Amino acid sequence: MLVPRVPLLRAAVAAGLGGFVLASACAGPEADRTAAEDDVDRPVPVPEILATNAFYYYRDVEAAWAFYRDVLGFETVADYGFAKILRVAPASYLTLVDETRGMHSADEPRSVTLAIVTEEVEGWWAYLSEREVPMRAPLGEVEPGRPHDGFVAIDPEGYFLEFERFNPHDENVDLVPLLADIEPLGPAGGARPPELEVQATVLWLYYRDLPAMERFWEGLLGMDLLVDQGWAKVYPASRTGFIGLVDGERGLHTATEEKSVTVSFFTPDVAAWRQRTEAMGLEARTEELGTESGRVATWVAFDPEGYFLEWDTFLDVPDNQALLAALGGR
């Protein structure tokens, strides 16, 4: 359903990413030009992404877990003690991390918003208000003709959660059919009413140079722009996980140097994503693939404005069985 872009080379060059080998070093200039022209029209393979994920960092990870598990009703598909992996939508996850064991500090700016895409915005508002979850602002009047409706709740340590409905609208003409094909997830437990379902997620990131970051993400994911809100852009990453880019002067957050989030992608082939990011010239956090307690193979690089990007391949060990089953049923 999600169609990769071909070619990606022009976007990569425009973004200054480089690193694509087009011809042998021993070939002459004419041969170089011919090879380059051929490659411009040749599909560039993009390794598979099974699901999107974000790592959030907490002083009290157990309290955060209780909120997401018992109030929001998300399923815990892996519990590593210091980290809890929650399934939010069919191919969208959120991982809660004890800051003493993570790559970020809870003191860093919360320069991220997780949008929970749902048709039941009003129901979520009523439920979370009843549970006395802090809100950034009231829901307000739902008016016909708007491209989206929603509100922003605040989790126990200050992360923004946007509950959002994308309405039939010219702005959403390519997104609405994708959402319609998704079987939404209901609650896995807790107090959340069964009718409050989740279709998808959008992970909103905040940037200083939005046009440059559009070129970067198009080159990285191999996907065309899906939703253009002017100062905010949405790209598909997994079947239910979307990446949103926001002008840092106009969004819920400003663009910051430090960010208390890691943007993550679950993949069956972390090594292939390492090769892709190296070919694009991304700075890596380490020189080699990493592992986490014998459970996960990881690769971490940085985007041009400093967000940590992580690719994760989960190993076939007992702690991962529920997660692997969920990923297999995507």
Side-chain angles (χ1 to χ4, degrees):
M1 182 181 299
L2 303 182
V3 182
R5 289 196 58 188
V6 293
L8 301 179
L9 181 61
R10 288 198 181 101
V13 171
L17 301 176
F20 287 84
V21 179
L22 301 178
S24 169
C26 62
E30 195 63 39
D32 287 348
R33 284 196 297 273
T34 301
E37 289 167 0
D38 289 343
D39 272 7
V40 161
D41 295 320
R42 185 175 302 158
V44 177
V46 180
E48 186 177 5
I49 292 174
L50 301 176
T52 55
N53 176 57
F55 290 93
Y56 283 4
Y57 300 87
Y58 294 91
R59 296 179 183 87
D60 187 343
V61 71
E62 296 295 329
W65 185 30
F67 170 77
Y68 282 97
R69 180 194 64 217
D70 300 334
V71 177
L72 297 189
F74 297 156
E75 178 186 8
T76 304
V77 291
D79 181 2
Y80 300 160
F82 72 95
K84 326 286 187 178
I85 304 177
L86 306 172
R87 193 182 190 196
V88 181
S92 308
Y93 293 79
L94 177 66
T95 301
L96 317 178
V97 184
D98 181 334
E99 67 159 352
T100 64
R101 297 280 301 273
M103 291 190 293
H104 291 281
S105 164
D107 292 327
E108 293 175 332
R110 307 304 210 197
S111 305
V112 61
T113 299
L114 180 66
I116 296 166
V117 180
T118 177
E119 290 295 314
E120 293 85 26
V121 166
E122 295 85 356
W124 275 103
W125 170 264
Y127 167 62
L128 295 178
S129 297
E130 182 181 291
R131 301 287 299 193
E132 299 184 344
V133 174
M135 305 292 187
R136 184 175 180 272
L139 172 60
E141 195 71 27
V142 175
E143 299 176 1
R146 295 200 303 196
H148 38 79
D149 298 297
F151 64 93
V152 177
I154 304 172
D155 91 348
E157 293 197 20
Y159 286 101
F160 283 5
L161 301 172
E162 182 176 17
F163 291 80
E164 186 169 17
R165 176 175 56 232
F166 289 89
N167 300 320
H169 187 277
D170 288 347
E171 190 177 277
N172 302 326
V173 66
D174 294 322
L175 174 61
V176 167
L178 298 181
L179 296 177
D181 281 344
I182 296 168
E183 184 69 29
L185 282 186
R192 170 179 149 194
E195 68 272 15
L196 299 185
E197 298 178 318
V198 179
Q199 290 172 292
T201 60
V202 181
L203 190 66
W204 295 108
L205 310 174
Y206 300 85
Y207 290 109
R208 294 184 177 87
D209 188 342
L210 189 58
M213 296 312 302
E214 287 182 70
R215 295 191 294 270
F216 168 77
W217 279 100
E218 288 173 8
L220 181 69
L221 297 177
M223 294 292 178
D224 281 317
L225 180 65
L226 187 65
V227 177
D228 188 350
Q229 299 178 356
W231 51 272
K233 319 286 182 175
V234 177
Y235 292 91
S238 73
R239 186 170 67 87
T240 69
F242 301 86
I243 299 296
L245 319 182
V246 185
D247 182 337
E249 294 185 355
R250 299 190 58 184
L252 293 173
H253 296 284
T254 59
T256 58
E257 290 294 333
E258 295 182 324
K259 316 163 204 307
S260 191
V261 61
T262 296
V263 183
S264 161
F265 305 95
F266 297 168
T267 175
D269 194 349
V270 67
W273 275 104
R274 173 189 177 180
Q275 292 171 355
R276 182 170 182 79
T277 59
E278 287 178 339
M280 293 177 68
L282 271 64
E283 179 186 357
R285 187 169 183 264
T286 59
E287 294 183 359
E288 302 296 335
L289 294 177
T291 59
E292 178 56 59
S293 305
R295 302 181 180 105
V296 193
T298 65
W299 177 250
V300 182
F302 307 109
D303 85 0
E305 292 200 16
Y307 279 100
F308 284 33
L309 307 179
E310 178 170 328
W311 287 267
D312 299 294
T313 295
F314 291 90
L315 307 181
D316 188 3
V317 298
D319 284 348
N320 291 337
Q321 293 310 301
L323 174 56
L324 291 172
L327 292 173
R330 66 188 185 282

